Each structure stands twice: as structure tokens, then as C-alpha cells.
Amino acid sequence: MSANDGPSGPQTTSATHESAFLKACRREPVPHTPVWFMRQAGRSLPEYLKVREGIAMLDSCMMPELVTEITLQPVRRHKVDAAIYFSDIVVPLKAIGIDLDIKPGIGPVIAEPIRTRADLARLRDLTPEDVSYVTEAIGMLTAELGATPLIGFAGAPFTLASYLVEGGPSRNHERTKAMMYGDPELWADLLDRLAEITGAFLKVQIEAGASAVQLFDSWVGALAPADYRRSVMPASAKVFDAVAGYGVPRIHFGVGTGELLGLMGEAGADVVGVDWRVPMDEGARRVGPGKALQGNLDPAVLFAPTATVEAKTREVLDAAAGLEGHVFNLGHGVMPTTDPDALTRLVAYVHEQTAR
């Protein structure tokens, strides 16, 4: 299998394969440090707010033409080195029939939380037909993106489990941890089911043309390393294993995961995302050799004057200077009230400062 082939045949054009983003993920020499932003598709862009007006979040994720437009907006505006597929981590759960909604200002809310062994029966397998709109949208996107790679994404089993068990976002994850500690067999079976669903969801995206995938474990920073290794890492590893044969870079990111960085790499990621709390050189030390790193400007820095943004960006680039592979990103997602022009200037600055 060549680097451009997946189990179902060629997936990535040679121009995309040679892009700065994919080269950095593979730890190869790059013409400049590639840049993309988590949550670049949406939120802060006026053109996004305009096309989404009056359309519920989950509905918008199921409309291929709208998904295509939203995914392309930041590529057009900011000249980022990669597009990230516009979706939400709960889309595969909705697709298999879980009764949930994304409430503005709150987040995903589950009508009937998963709390017992009988509830597991509601988590059926995900088929490509369940998410045919994803295949359609990615086909439209890859035709438009040309040499710009598309990153597919999914929520990691722990974070999905937390929403399902709590019934929505949670500050302390008390019900989640109560199940994890108090009924480890049920917990392991729940995460295993979610790993199957998530792996299937990422496969659909890769087979449709995504050039890389990112697994978001937004809430996993709530765990101690020993608990992560025992109770979460096997399921995350199962997701990464499910897509290993395609040869596309696999990125892993969580928030507040400074103590877990080595383990997150061990789970099977090719690229480990580092949030803004850990400098990139220290992140590299914790992750160990053989992995590229992604990150990690504090998203709040973008609200400071341009000279400050540039100085803080320089700190990130200097800390990342010795890395085998570095993808510049924020240490978390773009905040909704960020000035889009600040992001455009940041991309240009990183490209200019790192031109080889």
C-alpha cells in the first residue's frame, strides 16, 4: 500500500500528500510551519453566522452543501494549511438514533442518559448509510479544496461517554467517574461500543477523502494518568487501530491533558495536540520521540494587540524549533468573539517567520 492508498484505493492526491500540513504530520521537512485552527470553521466568522442563520446546529451538520461552504470559509479567508470538516462530536450518536439536541449556550443534551447495562443496547453499530451526508459533503469538499488537505474528526470514547452518562456537559463528571470506578465492567463495555462507533465514523470520512483525522478528547483532562491508562486508553487505542491501515495521520487532542500527553501518544496518535498550559518543548519531552506535535498559542492571546500576539507566537515557534514535526495551532478552539482578522494575520505571520 503506497502512502496515498487506503484499503479502498487512492485517497489523497499527490499535491495534497506533499502539502506542508501532511509533511509536518509525517515529520518530514516543510517549506513553512503549517497552520490551522480548531473551531476555525464557524463561530467567529460573520459569513458563518450568516449562512447558519435560523438553522439548528445538528441540522446544519446534515446538509452537505452547507457543510462544504462552512468548511471552506476559513480556508478562503485565512489561507490556513488545512481544512477541518464542519460537524459536531455528537453527530454519530444522533445518526444511530440517540435522542439528543445541541442547546445554544449549553451544548449537547441527551434526553435519556446511558446509565445501565440495558441502555447499551441503544448504542447500535454505525453504518456508512447512517451518515451518507458526510460522504457527500467530503466528496464536494475534496473537489473544491485541491491541494489543501481535509481533516476529518470525531469525539473520543471518554468524552462521548461523559455526555451520554451525565446527560449533557458536566463540570465534575461525577456520574461518569462513579460508573468508571464503581462498575468498571459496564464502563469498559460502554467505551468499547463507543470506540466501534467512532472508528466507523472516522473510516467513513477517510474513505470519502479526508487526508488526516483528529480525535478530540475534550474532557479527558479530568482524569489522573493511572485512571486514563486503565479505563480510557484501551478504547482510544481501538479507535486509532481501526483507521491505522489507511496510512493517514492520526491526531489526538484533549484539554488540560499535560499529565496525559505521553499516554495519549501511546494510544496510537501520530500527532499529539498540546494545549497552551505546557510549552511545546516540554510537550515534546513528555510525548517522547517518533511523534509530531500540534499547538499551542493560548486562544485568549488573540484579543491582545497585534504586537503581543506576534511576541507570544514567536515564543511558541521558538519552543517548537527543535521538534521533528510541528503543526501550529491554538491550544484550544477559536473563541466565538475572536476578531477574524487577528487569525488571518496570525497565519501570515507564522508562514513568514518559518519560511525555509
Side-chain angles (χ1 to χ4, degrees), residues 180-181 223-233 259-260 263:
M180 186 176 82
Y181 297 134
L223 297 182
D227 291 327
Y228 176 85
R229 181 185 282 283
R230 179 176 53 247
S231 304
V232 174
M233 195 167 140
E259 299 300 320
L260 306 178
L263 293 170

Side-chain angles (χ1 to χ4, degrees), residues 217-222 253-258 260 264 275-277 331-333:
D217 217 346
S218 315
W219 303 129
V220 80
F253 173 75
V255 189
T257 52
L260 306 178
M264 289 175 75
D275 78 9
W276 70 93
R277 299 168 179 89
H332 195 197

Side-chain angles (χ1 to χ4, degrees), residues 121-143:
R122 287 156 45 207
L123 296 172
R124 67 165 175 82
D125 289 344
L126 177 90
T127 69
E129 293 70 37
D130 292 322
V131 287
S132 56
Y133 46 85
V134 172
T135 301
E136 190 180 337
I138 290 179
M140 293 163 76
L141 274 164
T142 50

